[in-house]
Amino acid sequence: AVCRWNCETLAGSLAHILSREETAPLLEAYDRAYEEAYLDGMRAKLGLRHTALGTDGSLVASLLDVMQEAGSDWTDTWRALANGVDQLPGATDAAMGAIADRLVATGAAPARLAESARRKARTSASNLPVGQLMQFLHVAHTAPQQLAALGPVEQVKADLMRELEKHQKAEALLETAAVLEKVKPEERRAQDGARWVGWLREYQARLAHDDEAAPGAAAGRRERMRSVNPRVVLRTWIAQEAIAAAEAGDNAGVERVL
Protein backbone atom coordinates (compact mmCIF):
# COMPACT_ATOMS: atom_id res chain seq x y z
CA ALA A 1 0.00 0.00 0.00
CA VAL A 2 2.83 2.41 0.82
CA CYS A 3 4.67 1.64 -2.42
CA ARG A 4 1.45 2.13 -4.39
CA TRP A 5 0.88 5.45 -2.66
CA ASN A 6 4.44 6.49 -3.51
CA CYS A 7 3.81 5.68 -7.16
CA GLU A 8 0.60 7.71 -7.16
CA THR A 9 2.38 10.62 -5.50
CA LEU A 10 5.13 10.49 -8.10
CA ALA A 11 2.55 10.45 -10.87
CA GLY A 12 0.88 13.47 -9.30
CA SER A 13 4.16 15.37 -9.08
CA LEU A 14 4.76 14.70 -12.78
CA ALA A 15 1.27 15.80 -13.80
CA HIS A 16 2.67 18.94 -15.47
CA ILE A 17 4.56 16.80 -18.00
CA LEU A 18 2.62 13.50 -17.92
CA SER A 19 -1.17 13.46 -17.92
CA ARG A 20 -3.24 11.10 -15.79
CA GLU A 21 -4.17 9.28 -18.99
CA GLU A 22 -0.47 8.57 -19.53
CA THR A 23 0.39 7.54 -15.98
CA ALA A 24 -2.74 5.44 -15.30
CA PRO A 25 -1.54 2.48 -17.45
CA LEU A 26 1.81 2.59 -15.64
CA LEU A 27 0.09 2.37 -12.25
CA GLU A 28 -2.00 -0.53 -13.53
CA ALA A 29 1.18 -2.26 -14.70
CA TYR A 30 2.65 -1.76 -11.22
CA ASP A 31 -0.44 -3.34 -9.66
CA ARG A 32 -0.12 -6.39 -11.89
CA ALA A 33 3.61 -6.75 -11.24
CA TYR A 34 3.11 -6.35 -7.48
CA GLU A 35 0.31 -8.92 -7.37
CA GLU A 36 2.39 -11.40 -9.36
CA ALA A 37 5.45 -10.92 -7.14
CA TYR A 38 3.31 -11.15 -4.00
CA LEU A 39 1.69 -14.40 -5.06
CA ASP A 40 5.04 -15.86 -6.13
CA GLY A 41 6.38 -15.10 -2.66
CA MET A 42 3.36 -16.65 -0.97
CA ARG A 43 3.57 -19.74 -3.19
CA ALA A 44 7.17 -20.18 -2.05
CA LYS A 45 6.08 -19.94 1.60
CA LEU A 46 3.41 -22.57 0.89
CA GLY A 47 5.85 -24.87 -0.88
CA LEU A 48 4.14 -24.51 -4.27
CA ARG A 49 6.86 -24.66 -6.82
CA HIS A 50 5.83 -25.85 -10.25
CA THR A 51 2.39 -24.51 -11.01
CA ALA A 52 0.42 -21.29 -10.68
CA LEU A 53 -3.36 -21.37 -10.50
CA GLY A 54 -5.87 -18.55 -10.69
CA THR A 55 -7.25 -19.73 -7.36
CA ASP A 56 -3.96 -19.22 -5.50
CA GLY A 57 -4.95 -15.69 -4.53
CA SER A 58 -8.10 -17.03 -2.91
CA LEU A 59 -6.14 -19.74 -1.09
CA VAL A 60 -3.76 -17.16 0.35
CA ALA A 61 -6.58 -14.77 1.27
CA SER A 62 -8.49 -17.50 3.10
CA LEU A 63 -5.32 -18.46 4.98
CA LEU A 64 -4.85 -14.88 6.15
CA ASP A 65 -8.52 -14.76 7.17
CA VAL A 66 -8.11 -17.87 9.33
CA MET A 67 -4.93 -16.48 10.87
CA GLN A 68 -6.70 -13.26 11.75
CA GLU A 69 -9.75 -15.02 13.19
CA ALA A 70 -7.55 -17.30 15.29
CA GLY A 71 -5.15 -14.54 16.35
CA SER A 72 -2.31 -16.65 14.99
CA ASP A 73 1.32 -15.66 15.28
CA TRP A 74 2.68 -14.96 11.78
CA THR A 75 6.08 -16.60 12.20
CA ASP A 76 4.89 -19.61 14.21
CA THR A 77 2.04 -20.34 11.79
CA TRP A 78 4.28 -20.54 8.74
CA ARG A 79 6.76 -22.68 10.63
CA ALA A 80 4.01 -25.05 11.76
CA LEU A 81 2.81 -25.37 8.16
CA ALA A 82 6.34 -26.16 7.01
CA ASN A 83 6.77 -28.79 9.71
CA GLY A 84 3.46 -30.48 8.87
CA VAL A 85 3.39 -30.24 5.09
CA ASP A 86 4.86 -33.72 4.51
CA GLN A 87 1.94 -35.24 6.42
CA LEU A 88 -0.77 -33.55 4.34
CA PRO A 89 -0.85 -35.68 1.17
CA GLY A 90 -3.41 -38.40 1.84
CA ALA A 91 -3.81 -37.33 5.46
CA THR A 92 -6.61 -39.02 7.40
CA ASP A 93 -9.09 -36.98 9.43
CA ALA A 94 -7.08 -37.77 12.56
CA ALA A 95 -3.80 -36.67 10.97
CA MET A 96 -5.45 -33.52 9.63
CA GLY A 97 -6.78 -32.77 13.09
CA ALA A 98 -3.31 -33.17 14.59
CA ILE A 99 -1.86 -30.67 12.12
CA ALA A 100 -4.73 -28.30 12.85
CA ASP A 101 -4.05 -28.60 16.59
CA ARG A 102 -0.47 -27.46 16.06
CA LEU A 103 -1.74 -24.48 14.09
CA VAL A 104 -4.31 -23.67 16.76
CA ALA A 105 -1.46 -23.57 19.27
CA THR A 106 0.05 -20.61 17.38
CA GLY A 107 -3.01 -18.52 18.19
CA ALA A 108 -3.73 -16.27 21.13
CA ALA A 109 -6.18 -17.05 23.93
CA PRO A 110 -9.59 -15.28 23.79
CA ALA A 111 -8.71 -13.09 26.77
CA ARG A 112 -5.53 -11.91 25.07
CA LEU A 113 -7.38 -11.21 21.82
CA ALA A 114 -9.99 -9.25 23.77
CA GLU A 115 -7.29 -7.21 25.45
CA SER A 116 -5.70 -6.51 22.08
CA ALA A 117 -9.05 -5.41 20.62
CA ARG A 118 -9.65 -3.02 23.52
CA ARG A 119 -6.16 -1.59 23.15
CA LYS A 120 -6.72 -1.01 19.43
CA ALA A 121 -10.07 0.60 20.21
CA ARG A 122 -8.38 3.08 22.54
CA THR A 123 -5.67 4.00 20.05
CA SER A 124 -7.98 4.24 17.03
CA ALA A 125 -10.81 6.18 18.68
CA SER A 126 -11.50 9.78 17.71
CA ASN A 127 -10.41 12.53 20.08
CA LEU A 128 -13.69 14.30 19.35
CA PRO A 129 -16.46 13.35 21.82
CA VAL A 130 -19.19 11.42 20.04
CA GLY A 131 -21.92 13.84 21.13
CA GLN A 132 -20.03 16.80 19.72
CA LEU A 133 -19.27 14.88 16.55
CA MET A 134 -22.95 14.10 16.04
CA GLN A 135 -23.78 17.78 16.42
CA PHE A 136 -21.20 18.74 13.81
CA LEU A 137 -22.49 16.07 11.42
CA HIS A 138 -26.03 17.35 11.89
CA VAL A 139 -24.87 20.87 10.98
CA ALA A 140 -23.00 19.44 7.98
CA HIS A 141 -26.25 17.98 6.66
CA THR A 142 -28.63 20.80 7.54
CA ALA A 143 -26.56 24.00 7.40
CA PRO A 144 -23.13 23.22 5.95
CA GLN A 145 -22.30 26.89 5.41
CA GLN A 146 -21.93 27.25 9.17
CA LEU A 147 -18.85 25.02 9.00
CA ALA A 148 -16.98 27.67 7.01
CA ALA A 149 -15.62 29.12 10.25
CA LEU A 150 -13.64 25.88 10.70
CA GLY A 151 -12.17 25.87 7.20
CA PRO A 152 -13.18 24.89 3.66
CA VAL A 153 -16.61 23.32 4.01
CA GLU A 154 -15.94 20.20 1.93
CA GLN A 155 -12.67 19.57 3.75
CA VAL A 156 -14.37 19.97 7.14
CA LYS A 157 -17.11 17.55 6.10
CA ALA A 158 -14.49 15.03 4.96
CA ASP A 159 -12.64 15.40 8.26
CA LEU A 160 -15.86 14.81 10.18
CA MET A 161 -16.58 11.63 8.23
CA ARG A 162 -13.09 10.36 9.05
CA GLU A 163 -13.73 11.03 12.73
CA LEU A 164 -17.01 9.14 12.46
CA GLU A 165 -15.19 6.19 10.90
CA LYS A 166 -12.77 6.21 13.84
CA HIS A 167 -15.68 6.03 16.28
CA GLN A 168 -17.31 3.21 14.33
CA LYS A 169 -14.07 1.25 14.19
CA ALA A 170 -13.51 1.68 17.93
CA GLU A 171 -17.07 0.57 18.68
CA ALA A 172 -16.69 -2.51 16.48
CA LEU A 173 -13.47 -3.43 18.27
CA LEU A 174 -15.13 -3.05 21.67
CA GLU A 175 -17.99 -5.28 20.52
CA THR A 176 -15.47 -7.87 19.36
CA ALA A 177 -13.71 -7.69 22.71
CA ALA A 178 -16.99 -8.19 24.57
CA VAL A 179 -17.74 -11.30 22.51
CA LEU A 180 -14.25 -12.72 23.00
CA GLU A 181 -14.44 -12.23 26.77
CA LYS A 182 -17.46 -14.54 26.88
CA VAL A 183 -15.82 -17.30 24.86
CA LYS A 184 -14.46 -20.25 26.79
CA PRO A 185 -10.92 -21.28 25.76
CA GLU A 186 -12.00 -24.82 24.85
CA GLU A 187 -14.80 -23.49 22.66
CA ARG A 188 -12.37 -21.15 20.93
CA ARG A 189 -9.92 -23.98 20.29
CA ALA A 190 -12.68 -26.06 18.74
CA GLN A 191 -13.76 -23.18 16.51
CA ASP A 192 -10.21 -22.44 15.42
CA GLY A 193 -9.57 -26.13 14.84
CA ALA A 194 -12.55 -26.34 12.49
CA ARG A 195 -11.36 -23.24 10.63
CA TRP A 196 -7.90 -24.72 10.18
CA VAL A 197 -9.17 -28.12 9.03
CA GLY A 198 -11.32 -26.40 6.41
CA TRP A 199 -8.38 -24.44 5.06
CA LEU A 200 -6.01 -27.42 5.23
CA ARG A 201 -8.36 -29.35 2.97
CA GLU A 202 -8.05 -26.58 0.38
CA TYR A 203 -4.28 -26.57 0.79
CA GLN A 204 -4.14 -30.34 0.53
CA ALA A 205 -5.97 -30.22 -2.82
CA ARG A 206 -3.64 -27.48 -4.07
CA LEU A 207 -0.58 -29.51 -3.13
CA ALA A 208 -2.01 -32.50 -4.96
CA HIS A 209 -2.40 -30.40 -8.11
CA ASP A 210 1.21 -29.26 -7.77
CA ASP A 211 2.41 -32.86 -7.46
CA GLU A 212 0.30 -34.09 -10.38
CA ALA A 213 1.49 -31.29 -12.66
CA ALA A 214 5.12 -31.99 -11.85
CA PRO A 215 5.97 -35.42 -10.40
CA GLY A 216 8.56 -35.07 -7.70
CA ALA A 217 7.38 -31.63 -6.60
CA ALA A 218 6.85 -32.93 -3.07
CA ALA A 219 10.51 -33.90 -2.72
CA GLY A 220 12.25 -31.42 -0.47
CA ARG A 221 9.10 -29.35 0.01
CA ARG A 222 9.47 -29.18 3.76
CA GLU A 223 13.09 -28.02 3.51
CA ARG A 224 12.18 -25.40 0.91
CA MET A 225 9.41 -24.07 3.11
CA ARG A 226 11.65 -23.99 6.17
CA SER A 227 14.23 -22.00 4.19
CA VAL A 228 11.72 -19.19 3.53
CA ASN A 229 9.77 -19.47 6.80
CA PRO A 230 12.28 -18.74 9.59
CA ARG A 231 11.81 -20.19 13.04
CA VAL A 232 13.00 -17.06 14.83
CA VAL A 233 12.31 -13.45 13.87
CA LEU A 234 13.53 -10.45 15.83
CA ARG A 235 10.46 -8.74 17.26
CA THR A 236 10.35 -4.99 17.00
CA TRP A 237 9.55 -4.53 20.69
CA ILE A 238 12.54 -6.67 21.69
CA ALA A 239 14.83 -4.64 19.44
CA GLN A 240 13.44 -1.38 20.82
CA GLU A 241 14.00 -2.50 24.41
CA ALA A 242 17.57 -3.58 23.61
CA ILE A 243 18.30 -0.27 21.86
CA ALA A 244 16.84 1.78 24.71
CA ALA A 245 18.90 -0.14 27.25
CA ALA A 246 22.07 0.23 25.15
CA GLU A 247 21.54 3.97 24.87
CA ALA A 248 21.36 4.04 28.66
CA GLY A 249 24.68 2.18 28.87
CA ASP A 250 23.37 -1.39 29.33
CA ASN A 251 24.45 -3.64 26.45
CA ALA A 252 23.12 -6.89 27.95
CA GLY A 253 19.96 -6.76 25.84
CA VAL A 254 21.92 -6.33 22.61
CA GLU A 255 24.21 -9.22 23.55
CA ARG A 256 21.20 -11.48 24.21
CA VAL A 257 19.65 -10.59 20.84
CA LEU A 258 22.91 -11.26 19.01
Side-chain angles (χ1 to χ4, degrees):
V2 174
C3 291
R4 182 59 160 77
W5 181 85
N6 287 337
C7 290
E8 290 181 354
T9 302
L10 177 61
S13 67
L14 297 174
H16 61 290
I17 57 176
L18 291 174
S19 67
R20 287 294 184 181
E21 289 73 19
E22 292 175 296
T23 57
L26 300 177
L27 291 173
E28 292 173 1
Y30 168 85
D31 290 338
R32 291 191 296 272
Y34 178 89
E35 182 68 14
E36 182 178 345
Y38 169 74
L39 284 178
D40 282 345
M42 297 303 275
R43 289 187 187 102
K45 292 178 74 66
L46 289 167
L48 303 173
R49 185 174 184 179
H50 295 282
T51 60
L53 295 182
T55 56
D56 287 348
S58 175
L59 178 68
V60 170
S62 60
L63 168 61
L64 299 181
D65 286 342
V66 173
M67 290 174 68
Q68 182 176 7
E69 288 290 331
S72 302
D73 179 88
W74 176 265
T75 301
D76 291 346
T77 297
W78 287 108
R79 196 67 176 185
L81 280 175
N83 290 337
V85 70
D86 287 347
Q87 303 165 33
L88 274 174
T92 63
D93 289 344
M96 190 71 76
I99 299 171
D101 286 343
R102 290 197 291 272
L103 289 164
V104 169
T106 70
R112 185 176 176 184
L113 291 173
E115 180 184 352
S116 176
R118 291 192 179 280
R119 184 168 58 251
K120 290 178 181 178
R122 289 193 297 270
T123 58
S124 63
S126 170
N127 292 324
L128 193 62
V130 64
Q132 188 176 357
L133 175 60
M134 292 300 104
Q135 290 177 353
F136 276 124
L137 288 172
H138 177 72
V139 172
H141 287 291
T142 59
Q145 69 278 3
Q146 294 183 18
L147 298 176
L150 301 175
V153 173
E154 292 305 316
Q155 182 61 51
V156 173
K157 290 170 69 175
D159 291 342
L160 290 173
M161 291 307 299
R162 279 192 290 271
E163 294 302 312
L164 177 61
E165 290 174 1
K166 290 181 181 180
H167 272 297
Q168 292 172 335
K169 180 180 179 180
E171 289 176 356
L173 286 167
L174 291 175
E175 290 176 2
T176 298
V179 171
L180 287 168
E181 287 169 344
K182 297 178 181 178
V183 176
K184 296 180 180 178
E186 58 272 18
E187 292 177 357
R188 180 71 184 194
R189 285 193 294 270
Q191 293 169 357
D192 291 343
R195 293 189 184 99
W196 276 118
V197 168
W199 182 83
L200 285 169
R201 291 297 183 193
E202 295 181 47
Y203 183 37
Q204 183 185 50
R206 180 62 182 85
L207 290 173
H209 187 281
D210 207 48
D211 296 342
E212 291 172 4
R221 177 175 283 137
R222 178 181 178 181
E223 287 68 28
R224 292 197 309 274
M225 290 179 66
R226 286 166 68 95
S227 71
V228 294
N229 295 306
R231 182 174 65 86
V232 178
V233 173
L234 178 59
R235 308 291 182 176
T236 301
W237 67 271
I238 294 177
Q240 289 175 334
E241 286 187 352
I243 292 171
E247 290 176 341
D250 181 5
N251 294 321
V254 173
E255 293 172 357
R256 283 195 300 271
V257 168
L258 297 178

